[in-house]
Amino acid sequence: MFILNNSDPVPLYKQLYNQIRELILSGKLPADTRLPSIRDMAIELSASRNTVDGAYQELYAEGYLYSKPRSGYFVSALNQDTAPQTPAAKPGRNDYLQGPPSNFTYDFHPARLDPESFPTELWRKCFVDSLRRNSEQLVQYGDPQGDWGLRCSIQSYLERSRGVLCDPGQIVICSGLQQSLDIAAHILKENHSVIAVEDPGYHLPRSVFQNHSYTIVPVPVQPGGIDQNRLKASNSTIVYVTPSHQLPLGYVMPVANRLALIEWADSGGKYIIEDDYDSELRYHGKPIPSLQGLRPTGNIIYSGTFSKILSPALRLSYMVLPYSLLASYRKLYRAYFPSVSLLEQRTMANFMEQGHWERHIRRMRMIYKKKHDLLLRSVETHFGKQAVVIGYGAGLHVVLRLPESSHTEVEIIDRARQKGIRLFPFSEFHVNCQPEATTLLLGFGGLKDCEIEYGVAILSRICLSDPVAGIPVDPK
Amino acid sequence: MFILNNSDPVPLYKQLYNQIRELILSGKLPADTRLPSIRDMAIELSASRNTVDGAYQELYAEGYLYSKPRSGYFVSALNQDTAPQTPAAKPGRNDYLQGPPSNFTYDFHPARLDPESFPTELWRKCFVDSLRRNSEQLVQYGDPQGDWGLRCSIQSYLERSRGVLCDPGQIVICSGLQQSLDIAAHILKENHSVIAVEDPGYHLPRSVFQNHSYTIVPVPVQPGGIDQNRLKASNSTIVYVTPSHQLPLGYVMPVANRLALIEWADSGGKYIIEDDYDSELRYHGKPIPSLQGLRPTGNIIYSGTFSKILSPALRLSYMVLPYSLLASYRKLYRAYFPSVSLLEQRTMANFMEQGHWERHIRRMRMIYKKKHDLLLRSVETHFGKQAVVIGYGAGLHVVLRLPESSHTEVEIIDRARQKGIRLFPFSEFHVNCQPEATTLLLGFGGLKDCEIEYGVAILSRICLSDPVAGIPVDPK
């Protein structure tokens, strides 16, 4: 009745298990059938008792068999209507395989960093050191708010470089802006339901707050930052802003507007979410101090990240909660777990304590300033007065406003793709406002110097009917 | 008027910036006051022009000054009502400092692993190797669904050891169960609003789904798993279950009940969330195959974790989505980012590819089986027939039901604390059901062998008015 095959890699007891299970499920062994005793079955199969016992134990544990003391094992009553179907043929592995990584020669995506910039050797040392010192900590859950040492390092860095005044107890370590916003949306939900966002602006806050059933109010952005008259006229009680370097337009909010915005928040328990995503990268003068630093006791949620300077793949960011929200945070997140690996947090804390982080910022600022300046020069050479550059001087991208006569965004992106150029569609930043003219977002972080020059030259041919200069000699 | 101090570590331009800013904010330099030219100011201060230029540029960038072509810099009009307040004195660092880590001699918390078990040296090797091979990948965001290589390793492991049949395209890498549940709650929200959970059961699903405004229906747990009659009578269209090892009671759901539950889900687009959190740890027979394996094409969200065998501090888990939810997942999470570090994902993939993961499971199963058996023997010795052990044979905890005459949970936990014993309150698992008698949850993963024996002996003195055996000699 049963066939066991010694040369099959499946263990014998498992072969027997499979065959009995099949008979039960197909109904060929009906309910309450008594199975042969272990001894009899072993003799019949010329197998060891352990083999039979293993199969019976497993069938028993899964409920296919029941046992009666001193009588042996019997087949359980299964509802045959609910017997498992034979699994459908598995879909081919390739059905969900992503295509090969995009293979653009000139990738102007704004979220890419310099490809050779990751401090591999220093990171390895900091990691190995933190692994050696913390292996006993790895057997338990850590602090849900984040490693205390890392929070202390971030606090002191933020105070020195961003003017943020806070206590490490206000800092929450997150696995990226999305998680910070999720937490913010959650703890604010009790008393708030409408959030204003910059238009044009980053899509992520819109989608996270939408998930939490908030009403999203897009408010136009001017050179001085979000339009505060429109903000005041709205019924929003939360606003998400990028005051140091408006995403995507690059504007810096002047201090008068900052103070007015803080005043708005102070009047009646409103909240500001200040996303300071790339403030370390300012190429002229010092970085602009934060809103939080202007009113450390105000209703400001400050958010920062290691994604722009160090690596977006590490998924390490942080948020500073105002005192007014700490109690709600603790109440709602008491039962949660940390979201970032302890090893990675300790590695980052090591990296900061040893001064590598601030040295790395300085190094990256020089590297990106060079790229930034080269991009501006290339745009001047190839677009001349036919493009207006806005939002320059900081970050990892600039914005180019093209003459009204130029092609549409869709046409340009499509033609660029054919020439091996990847552009991130600027229109994705828009909710209601539409730019008067075609606007390009040129991220330069991931490009080599020669690629910037050549990429901009090709772009000018694509965008302009009458480009200013010829294409330089292909550096490839 | 301004004093620059060469021996101050603050750069000169910053000193000047601070002093001018102070005068503007205090109103001593009123709006539209013209500042001295850079040259004049430099002469007055015996400073370089760069110093003055740096200060002016920064004040200008922040909006404290405005410039008129060929006239110089002027003080901007600030709304004095909104001038920044002097930050309140910073609260002491200690206000939010957590107390020192709990210092129990015998910690029966169920989420602790063996303190010497983390494979530090292997992990280091896998990490260093993945860092070396992937440093260029670190400058960009990875696949939001998780590293493809890791997903392939998980797929093949799940098929071999858990009977889960899926495609790597169905797997989502998460930073823990909370995130998996968050995603599930989010993608199911469109068509569902009521979820049934086990009672007693894990608190996390309740709180995550509550956050997403679901109605939570607690359904009693019987030795055969969740009470399916009660489930059917409810209006729930989602159920969260732990069929391989019910948390906390340790019951295994028999196959007939599994099939019935699958049938329930199949009828009318309902969903099962199968949390297989510690299924690798079964001390007699093989692990029980998953629900997902019984109906790979069914409406089953399968969730697994590396927290119980490897480390809860790494924050690495995964979820297998059914085909029916993949389109919604992609639609809603298209614009999101991964939540786990790429380096950690690649390290784990390395660890699995080289066979370390399955060897580690086997090693940990032996270590925990020994602790588990010792715990049962100790309970027998010290509690005798005065305690009923339920839910044994698997995982990292067992449950002890005490006689009705024993102390209450609160009393026992309190008295245990005084003796250096930490107990996790079993009542936290309860929503509506109350256990008939005091019930203890004894996690044994984090205890050394001698601590198990001695800890149980002390516990018996605390719980029973008439303990069976004396306390063994203190092993410390």
Side-chain angles (χ1 to χ4, degrees), chain A residues 46-74:
Chain A
S46 309
S48 79
R49 286 194 192 188
N50 281 343
T51 299
V52 180
D53 190 43
Y56 282 17
Q57 283 294 340
E58 197 161 329
L59 290 161
Y60 173 75
E62 292 173 22
Y64 289 100
L65 302 182
Y66 64 95
S67 77
K68 284 187 197 168
R70 278 179 293 277
S71 303
Y73 289 98
F74 297 80

mmCIF file of all heavy atoms in Angstrom, chain A residues 46-74:
data_model
loop_
_atom_site.group_PDB
_atom_site.id
_atom_site.type_symbol
_atom_site.label_atom_id
_atom_site.label_comp_id
_atom_site.label_asym_id
_atom_site.label_seq_id
_atom_site.Cartn_x
_atom_site.Cartn_y
_atom_site.Cartn_z
ATOM 1 N N SER A 46 9.012 -2.849 6.059
ATOM 2 C CA SER A 46 10.438 -3.080 6.330
ATOM 3 C C SER A 46 11.140 -1.780 6.711
ATOM 4 O O SER A 46 12.233 -1.464 6.250
ATOM 5 C CB SER A 46 11.160 -3.692 5.116
ATOM 6 O OG SER A 46 10.475 -4.811 4.659
ATOM 7 N N ALA A 47 10.448 -1.036 7.513
ATOM 8 C CA ALA A 47 11.020 0.244 7.961
ATOM 9 C C ALA A 47 11.202 0.195 9.469
ATOM 10 O O ALA A 47 10.730 -0.726 10.129
ATOM 11 C CB ALA A 47 10.071 1.382 7.597
ATOM 12 N N SER A 48 11.897 1.190 9.988
ATOM 13 C CA SER A 48 12.083 1.202 11.438
ATOM 14 C C SER A 48 10.810 1.740 12.099
ATOM 15 O O SER A 48 10.005 2.437 11.481
ATOM 16 C CB SER A 48 13.265 2.091 11.810
ATOM 17 O OG SER A 48 12.865 3.437 11.773
ATOM 18 N N ARG A 49 10.657 1.411 13.370
ATOM 19 C CA ARG A 49 9.506 1.945 14.100
ATOM 20 C C ARG A 49 9.552 3.467 14.173
ATOM 21 O O ARG A 49 8.522 4.127 14.188
ATOM 22 C CB ARG A 49 9.505 1.404 15.542
ATOM 23 C CG ARG A 49 9.089 -0.036 15.607
ATOM 24 C CD ARG A 49 8.773 -0.357 17.056
ATOM 25 N NE ARG A 49 8.651 -1.787 17.233
ATOM 26 C CZ ARG A 49 8.238 -2.344 18.363
ATOM 27 N NH1 ARG A 49 7.952 -1.589 19.410
ATOM 28 N NH2 ARG A 49 8.133 -3.643 18.458
ATOM 29 N N ASN A 50 10.785 4.012 14.246
ATOM 30 C CA ASN A 50 10.910 5.471 14.311
ATOM 31 C C ASN A 50 10.308 6.147 13.093
ATOM 32 O O ASN A 50 9.705 7.211 13.185
ATOM 33 C CB ASN A 50 12.384 5.890 14.424
ATOM 34 C CG ASN A 50 12.878 5.717 15.848
ATOM 35 O OD1 ASN A 50 12.055 5.601 16.771
ATOM 36 N ND2 ASN A 50 14.190 5.692 16.010
ATOM 37 N N THR A 51 10.495 5.507 11.942
ATOM 38 C CA THR A 51 9.946 6.068 10.708
ATOM 39 C C THR A 51 8.428 6.172 10.807
ATOM 40 O O THR A 51 7.829 7.216 10.557
ATOM 41 C CB THR A 51 10.332 5.184 9.510
ATOM 42 O OG1 THR A 51 11.751 5.162 9.420
ATOM 43 C CG2 THR A 51 9.740 5.711 8.216
ATOM 44 N N VAL A 52 7.808 5.075 11.203
ATOM 45 C CA VAL A 52 6.355 5.061 11.294
ATOM 46 C C VAL A 52 5.880 6.014 12.392
ATOM 47 O O VAL A 52 4.944 6.805 12.204
ATOM 48 C CB VAL A 52 5.844 3.623 11.559
ATOM 49 C CG1 VAL A 52 4.324 3.615 11.649
ATOM 50 C CG2 VAL A 52 6.331 2.682 10.470
ATOM 51 N N ASP A 53 6.573 5.956 13.516
ATOM 52 C CA ASP A 53 6.192 6.824 14.626
ATOM 53 C C ASP A 53 6.266 8.288 14.213
ATOM 54 O O ASP A 53 5.373 9.086 14.513
ATOM 55 C CB ASP A 53 7.123 6.554 15.820
ATOM 56 C CG ASP A 53 6.623 7.259 17.085
ATOM 57 O OD1 ASP A 53 5.399 7.223 17.333
ATOM 58 O OD2 ASP A 53 7.450 7.862 17.796
ATOM 59 N N GLY A 54 7.335 8.662 13.479
ATOM 60 C CA GLY A 54 7.497 10.051 13.017
ATOM 61 C C GLY A 54 6.331 10.478 12.150
ATOM 62 O O GLY A 54 5.776 11.580 12.318
ATOM 63 N N ALA A 55 5.935 9.574 11.228
ATOM 64 C CA ALA A 55 4.827 9.919 10.322
ATOM 65 C C ALA A 55 3.526 10.069 11.110
ATOM 66 O O ALA A 55 2.783 11.045 10.936
ATOM 67 C CB ALA A 55 4.678 8.839 9.254
ATOM 68 N N TYR A 56 3.241 9.116 12.001
ATOM 69 C CA TYR A 56 2.006 9.159 12.790
ATOM 70 C C TYR A 56 1.977 10.400 13.683
ATOM 71 O O TYR A 56 0.952 11.078 13.799
ATOM 72 C CB TYR A 56 1.878 7.886 13.657
ATOM 73 C CG TYR A 56 1.409 6.644 12.920
ATOM 74 C CD1 TYR A 56 1.448 6.564 11.525
ATOM 75 C CD2 TYR A 56 0.929 5.532 13.620
ATOM 76 C CE1 TYR A 56 1.029 5.410 10.866
ATOM 77 C CE2 TYR A 56 0.505 4.378 12.971
ATOM 78 C CZ TYR A 56 0.560 4.328 11.595
ATOM 79 O OH TYR A 56 0.149 3.200 10.936
ATOM 80 N N GLN A 57 3.117 10.700 14.325
ATOM 81 C CA GLN A 57 3.183 11.857 15.230
ATOM 82 C C GLN A 57 2.837 13.140 14.492
ATOM 83 O O GLN A 57 2.125 14.005 14.989
ATOM 84 C CB GLN A 57 4.603 12.011 15.830
ATOM 85 C CG GLN A 57 4.930 11.042 16.952
ATOM 86 C CD GLN A 57 4.073 11.278 18.190
ATOM 87 O OE1 GLN A 57 3.498 12.356 18.372
ATOM 88 N NE2 GLN A 57 3.949 10.255 19.029
ATOM 89 N N GLU A 58 3.378 13.220 13.287
ATOM 90 C CA GLU A 58 3.163 14.457 12.552
ATOM 91 C C GLU A 58 1.717 14.581 12.092
ATOM 92 O O GLU A 58 1.108 15.649 12.184
ATOM 93 C CB GLU A 58 4.115 14.505 11.355
ATOM 94 C CG GLU A 58 4.235 15.898 10.826
ATOM 95 C CD GLU A 58 5.476 16.071 9.976
ATOM 96 O OE1 GLU A 58 6.492 15.390 10.250
ATOM 97 O OE2 GLU A 58 5.426 16.864 9.042
ATOM 98 N N LEU A 59 1.164 13.462 11.631
ATOM 99 C CA LEU A 59 -0.242 13.478 11.210
ATOM 100 C C LEU A 59 -1.143 13.779 12.403
ATOM 101 O O LEU A 59 -2.147 14.490 12.286
ATOM 102 C CB LEU A 59 -0.618 12.122 10.589
ATOM 103 C CG LEU A 59 0.027 11.860 9.221
ATOM 104 C CD1 LEU A 59 0.002 10.368 8.892
ATOM 105 C CD2 LEU A 59 -0.671 12.660 8.119
ATOM 106 N N TYR A 60 -0.746 13.246 13.540
ATOM 107 C CA TYR A 60 -1.505 13.478 14.764
ATOM 108 C C TYR A 60 -1.436 14.953 15.167
ATOM 109 O O TYR A 60 -2.451 15.591 15.449
ATOM 110 C CB TYR A 60 -0.943 12.591 15.877
ATOM 111 C CG TYR A 60 -1.547 12.876 17.235
ATOM 112 C CD1 TYR A 60 -2.843 12.443 17.526
ATOM 113 C CD2 TYR A 60 -0.834 13.553 18.212
ATOM 114 C CE1 TYR A 60 -3.413 12.706 18.771
ATOM 115 C CE2 TYR A 60 -1.387 13.808 19.452
ATOM 116 C CZ TYR A 60 -2.679 13.390 19.729
ATOM 117 O OH TYR A 60 -3.233 13.652 20.957
ATOM 118 N N ALA A 61 -0.206 15.504 15.129
ATOM 119 C CA ALA A 61 -0.025 16.890 15.556
ATOM 120 C C ALA A 61 -0.822 17.836 14.678
ATOM 121 O O ALA A 61 -1.293 18.884 15.125
ATOM 122 C CB ALA A 61 1.457 17.258 15.516
ATOM 123 N N GLU A 62 -0.985 17.455 13.401
ATOM 124 C CA GLU A 62 -1.712 18.337 12.491
ATOM 125 C C GLU A 62 -3.207 18.042 12.470
ATOM 126 O O GLU A 62 -3.951 18.672 11.722
ATOM 127 C CB GLU A 62 -1.141 18.198 11.081
ATOM 128 C CG GLU A 62 0.267 18.746 11.000
ATOM 129 C CD GLU A 62 0.904 18.472 9.663
ATOM 130 O OE1 GLU A 62 0.176 18.253 8.672
ATOM 131 O OE2 GLU A 62 2.140 18.453 9.611
ATOM 132 N N GLY A 63 -3.621 17.026 13.226
ATOM 133 C CA GLY A 63 -5.053 16.777 13.340
ATOM 134 C C GLY A 63 -5.608 15.812 12.311
ATOM 135 O O GLY A 63 -6.814 15.607 12.251
ATOM 136 N N TYR A 64 -4.756 15.192 11.471
ATOM 137 C CA TYR A 64 -5.267 14.213 10.512
ATOM 138 C C TYR A 64 -5.659 12.922 11.234
ATOM 139 O O TYR A 64 -6.466 12.155 10.749
ATOM 140 C CB TYR A 64 -4.212 13.900 9.444
ATOM 141 C CG TYR A 64 -3.979 15.040 8.483
ATOM 142 C CD1 TYR A 64 -2.890 15.887 8.629
ATOM 143 C CD2 TYR A 64 -4.860 15.255 7.427
ATOM 144 C CE1 TYR A 64 -2.682 16.931 7.744
ATOM 145 C CE2 TYR A 64 -4.657 16.302 6.540
ATOM 146 C CZ TYR A 64 -3.561 17.137 6.702
ATOM 147 O OH TYR A 64 -3.359 18.171 5.831
ATOM 148 N N LEU A 65 -5.000 12.671 12.367
ATOM 149 C CA LEU A 65 -5.286 11.464 13.146
ATOM 150 C C LEU A 65 -5.714 11.861 14.544
ATOM 151 O O LEU A 65 -5.359 12.930 15.028
ATOM 152 C CB LEU A 65 -4.014 10.597 13.250
ATOM 153 C CG LEU A 65 -3.359 10.125 11.949
ATOM 154 C CD1 LEU A 65 -2.142 9.245 12.284
ATOM 155 C CD2 LEU A 65 -4.348 9.346 11.074
ATOM 156 N N TYR A 66 -6.484 10.987 15.161
ATOM 157 C CA TYR A 66 -6.665 11.135 16.599
ATOM 158 C C TYR A 66 -6.255 9.811 17.233
ATOM 159 O O TYR A 66 -6.096 8.799 16.539
ATOM 160 C CB TYR A 66 -8.104 11.532 16.964
ATOM 161 C CG TYR A 66 -9.177 10.536 16.627
ATOM 162 C CD1 TYR A 66 -9.643 9.611 17.578
ATOM 163 C CD2 TYR A 66 -9.753 10.507 15.350
ATOM 164 C CE1 TYR A 66 -10.648 8.696 17.266
ATOM 165 C CE2 TYR A 66 -10.752 9.602 15.034
ATOM 166 C CZ TYR A 66 -11.196 8.696 15.989
ATOM 167 O OH TYR A 66 -12.171 7.794 15.680
ATOM 168 N N SER A 67 -6.047 9.806 18.544
ATOM 169 C CA SER A 67 -5.591 8.553 19.168
ATOM 170 C C SER A 67 -6.536 8.170 20.288
ATOM 171 O O SER A 67 -7.210 9.022 20.876
ATOM 172 C CB SER A 67 -4.165 8.736 19.706
ATOM 173 O OG SER A 67 -4.208 9.470 20.908
ATOM 174 N N LYS A 68 -6.638 6.853 20.525
ATOM 175 C CA LYS A 68 -7.374 6.384 21.691
ATOM 176 C C LYS A 68 -6.382 5.600 22.526
ATOM 177 O O LYS A 68 -5.650 4.756 21.982
ATOM 178 C CB LYS A 68 -8.524 5.443 21.269
ATOM 179 C CG LYS A 68 -9.714 6.151 20.685
ATOM 180 C CD LYS A 68 -10.847 5.128 20.484
ATOM 181 C CE LYS A 68 -11.894 5.653 19.546
ATOM 182 N NZ LYS A 68 -12.833 4.591 19.123
ATOM 183 N N PRO A 69 -6.380 5.840 23.847
ATOM 184 C CA PRO A 69 -5.410 5.137 24.672
ATOM 185 C C PRO A 69 -5.506 3.620 24.480
ATOM 186 O O PRO A 69 -6.627 3.075 24.449
ATOM 187 C CB PRO A 69 -5.804 5.536 26.107
ATOM 188 C CG PRO A 69 -6.605 6.794 25.957
ATOM 189 C CD PRO A 69 -7.233 6.753 24.615
ATOM 190 N N ARG A 70 -4.408 2.999 24.291
ATOM 191 C CA ARG A 70 -4.284 1.546 24.110
ATOM 192 C C ARG A 70 -5.031 1.012 22.878
ATOM 193 O O ARG A 70 -5.200 -0.187 22.736
ATOM 194 C CB ARG A 70 -4.744 0.798 25.374
ATOM 195 C CG ARG A 70 -3.645 0.742 26.430
ATOM 196 C CD ARG A 70 -4.140 0.032 27.673
ATOM 197 N NE ARG A 70 -5.175 0.795 28.363
ATOM 198 C CZ ARG A 70 -4.914 1.785 29.225
ATOM 199 N NH1 ARG A 70 -3.682 2.107 29.515
ATOM 200 N NH2 ARG A 70 -5.890 2.434 29.796
ATOM 201 N N SER A 71 -5.515 1.898 22.002
ATOM 202 C CA SER A 71 -6.167 1.400 20.782
ATOM 203 C C SER A 71 -5.415 1.829 19.520
ATOM 204 O O SER A 71 -5.588 1.226 18.468
ATOM 205 C CB SER A 71 -7.600 1.925 20.668
ATOM 206 O OG SER A 71 -8.326 1.574 21.800
ATOM 207 N N GLY A 72 -4.650 2.877 19.632
ATOM 208 C CA GLY A 72 -3.881 3.312 18.464
ATOM 209 C C GLY A 72 -4.441 4.562 17.814
ATOM 210 O O GLY A 72 -5.193 5.325 18.431
ATOM 211 N N TYR A 73 -4.078 4.722 16.544
ATOM 212 C CA TYR A 73 -4.416 5.962 15.826
ATOM 213 C C TYR A 73 -5.559 5.741 14.859
ATOM 214 O O TYR A 73 -5.625 4.703 14.177
ATOM 215 C CB TYR A 73 -3.195 6.457 15.048
ATOM 216 C CG TYR A 73 -2.113 7.005 15.954
ATOM 217 C CD1 TYR A 73 -1.019 6.227 16.316
ATOM 218 C CD2 TYR A 73 -2.213 8.300 16.438
ATOM 219 C CE1 TYR A 73 -0.034 6.740 17.139
ATOM 220 C CE2 TYR A 73 -1.228 8.815 17.271
ATOM 221 C CZ TYR A 73 -0.139 8.033 17.621
ATOM 222 O OH TYR A 73 0.821 8.531 18.437
ATOM 223 N N PHE A 74 -6.439 6.745 14.773
ATOM 224 C CA PHE A 74 -7.607 6.697 13.880
ATOM 225 C C PHE A 74 -7.640 7.951 13.011
ATOM 226 O O PHE A 74 -7.131 9.003 13.417
ATOM 227 C CB PHE A 74 -8.893 6.636 14.720
ATOM 228 C CG PHE A 74 -8.989 5.397 15.554
ATOM 229 C CD1 PHE A 74 -8.298 5.302 16.761
ATOM 230 C CD2 PHE A 74 -9.753 4.299 15.118
ATOM 231 C CE1 PHE A 74 -8.364 4.144 17.533
ATOM 232 C CE2 PHE A 74 -9.826 3.149 15.893
ATOM 233 C CZ PHE A 74 -9.130 3.063 17.100
#
